[in-house]
């Protein structure tokens, strides 16, 4: 049964939420029928993560370095850390990145919300176009955004409990072998 | 990008009211302005700013009193700004009147693509001391729906105590490293949340300066097209 939601409390909790040991599948589809970035991800923390994009590269980033591994050639390109962007899956696992809180840099603000036992449904209104609405489904236990639906696209996050060892191993490889300022100083 | 007919009509109505007051003072009948440059010639007294066809007017307290769009705002970004598949160079003028001083400030953004990492060279020049502050983001260009922000850079700004050229650079291996998506959609760089500060007052300017559109593919580099 749905009941009124303390929106202020939920917003504060979402803005403060940081992931730890999160595994998930993610999928984005556009209203034109095309498929956006989809795949699997593993977030050890907000700053150390692996995002494997289906038909695209695998992005692996720690606090100080990253590897971009292309799918076909398996070429691994080292680089600086990748700052988590404000799009799925990052914005669904780290909700403070989602442009839905009515901040000057956001696209949406939360107009109203309603919760059931484990989730909350938030109705979003566009800051630029008041007639445009979107919707977010939030997991109240973990504060992930499970679904985000806008007029032009929809994203889904399916977290699962079992740690995917292959993604975790890729992250550990980067952590151990890519340039590390602490090692450099030794 | 959504442009409502109502907004354009509202813009024309505002322009007409400004030109009507000019006509009432005995000047010749002129057609409504369709660009910021034309609007600057007929604007009523008071603080205002215009960029890319979006006019912002302010009350004496500095609050935004109206936002309207000229026909210029509905026009597509000129493809002539694309230098090659990996380079775009766009310049737009910010026209404004603040505390009785008129400003004409060219704002430019040069975008060079390195795979999925943009290198941005942004800046403005002004012959009068004024600080322009702006936010920078990567946006997806959606047809007939609001655009989406997919990445936000730190703010950039110039000085209000001296004149000249002010630039800010975001390197391809800096904050925006690998920030462009891998999904085959069209994206652009957006200089928005523009603020003009003369040392006394700030104008929060609606409208933005946008790069050309690039397509960001799943397996090869983003390209302007």
């Amino acid at each position: 049964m749905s009941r009124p939601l303390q929106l202020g409390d939920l917003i504060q909790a979402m803005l403060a939420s940081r992931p730890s040991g999160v595994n998930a599948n993610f999928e984005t589809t556009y209203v034109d029928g095309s498929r956006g970035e989809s795949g699997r991800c593993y977030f050890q923390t907000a700053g150390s993560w692996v995002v494997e994009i289906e038909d695209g590269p695998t992005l692996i980033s720690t606090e100080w370095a990253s590897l971009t591994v292309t799918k076909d050639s398996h070429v691994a390109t080292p680089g600086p850390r990748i700052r988590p962007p404000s799009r799925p899956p990052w914005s669904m696992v780290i909700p403070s990145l989602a442009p839905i809180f009515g901040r000057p840099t956001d696209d949406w603000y939360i107009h109203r919300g309603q919760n059931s036992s484990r989730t909350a449904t938030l109705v979003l209104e566009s800051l630029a176009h008041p007639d445009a609405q979107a919707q977010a489904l939030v997991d109240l236990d973990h504060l992930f955004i499970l679904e985000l639906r806008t007029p032009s696209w929809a994203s889904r996050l399916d977290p699962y409990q079992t740690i995917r060892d292959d993604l975790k191993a890729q992250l550990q490889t980067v952590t151990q072998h890519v340039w590390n300022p602490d090692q450099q100083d030794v | 990008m959504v442009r409502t007919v109502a907004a354009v009509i509202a813009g024309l109505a505002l322009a007409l009211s400004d030109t009507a007051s000019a006509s009432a003072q005995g000047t010749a009948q002129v057609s409504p302005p369709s660009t910021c440059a034309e609007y600057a010639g007929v604007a009523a007294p008071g603080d205002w700013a215009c960029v890319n066809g979006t006019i912002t007017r302010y009350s004496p307290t500095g609050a935004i009193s109206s936002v309207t769009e000229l026909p210029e705002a509905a026009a597509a970004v000129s493809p002539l700004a694309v230098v090659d598949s990996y380079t775009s160079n766009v310049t737009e003028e910010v026209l404004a009147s603040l505390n009785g001083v008129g400003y004409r400030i060219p704002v430019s953004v040069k975008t060079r693509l390195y795979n999925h990492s943009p290198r941005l060279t942004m800046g403005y020049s002004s012959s009068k001391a004024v600080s322009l502050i702006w936010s920078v983001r990567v946006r997806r260009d959606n047809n007939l729906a609001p655009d989406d922000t997919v990445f936000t850079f730190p703010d950039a700004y110039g000085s209000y105590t001296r004149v000249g050229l002010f630039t800010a650079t975001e390197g391809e291996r800096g904050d925006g490293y690998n920030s462009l998506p891998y999904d085959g959609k069209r994206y652009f760089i957006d200089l928005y949340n523009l603020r003009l500060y003369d040392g006394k007052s700030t104008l929060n300017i609606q409208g933005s300066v946008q790069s050309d559109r690039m397509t960001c593919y799943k397996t090869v580099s983003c390209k302007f097209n």
Side-chain angles (χ1 to χ4, degrees), chain A residues 30 32 34 37 83 107 153, chain B residues 139 148-149 152 183 185:
Chain A
Y30 291 98
D32 65 6
S34 62
E37 289 176 321
R83 199 157 65 87
D107 297 328
W153 54 273
Chain B
R139 300 203 95 193
D148 295 303
T149 303
T152 305
D183 64 0
K185 294 295 178 188

Side-chain angles (χ1 to χ4, degrees), chain B residues 75-200:
Chain B
V77 174
S78 166
L80 297 174
V82 174
V83 177
D84 59 46
S85 293
Y86 303 100
T87 312
S88 153
N89 208 342
V90 168
T91 301
E92 295 281 354
E93 275 190 332
V94 173
L95 300 174
S97 176
L98 174 59
N99 293 325
V101 179
Y103 297 94
R104 187 180 207 98
I105 304 170
V107 180
S108 66
V109 53
K110 179 178 181 179
T111 309
R112 173 82 181 154
L113 299 173
Y114 297 86
N115 209 331
H116 283 68
S117 306
R119 177 181 179 79
L120 307 180
T121 308
M122 304 164 285
Y124 72 93
S125 60
S126 177
S127 58
K128 296 167 185 165
V130 71
S131 175
L132 188 68
I133 306 154
W134 65 94
S135 304
V136 190
R137 59 188 172 184
V138 179
R139 300 203 95 193
R140 182 166 45 238
D141 187 0
N142 295 318
N143 281 331
L144 304 173
D147 297 334
D148 295 303
T149 303
V150 298
F151 189 82
T152 305
F153 290 91
D155 286 2
Y157 52 88
S159 168
Y160 66 89
T161 59
R162 56 190 178 86
V163 300
L165 174 69
F166 300 94
T167 58
T169 301
E170 287 288 347
E172 68 275 18
R173 291 176 69 83
D175 266 316
Y177 178 71
N178 237 330
S179 61
L180 298 170
Y182 292 81
D183 64 0
K185 294 295 178 188
R186 285 162 67 78
Y187 294 89
F188 61 96
I189 305 297
D190 191 33
L191 276 54
Y192 73 112
N193 195 17
L194 303 165
R195 288 142 283 172
L196 193 68
Y197 178 62
D198 66 355
K200 289 181 285 186

Side-chain angles (χ1 to χ4, degrees), chain A residues 54-71:
Chain A
E54 194 179 288
D55 302 325
T58 298
L59 309 176
I60 311 163
S61 187
T62 69
E63 296 286 0
W64 53 83
S66 71
L67 266 188
T68 302
V69 184
T70 56
K71 188 77 67 187

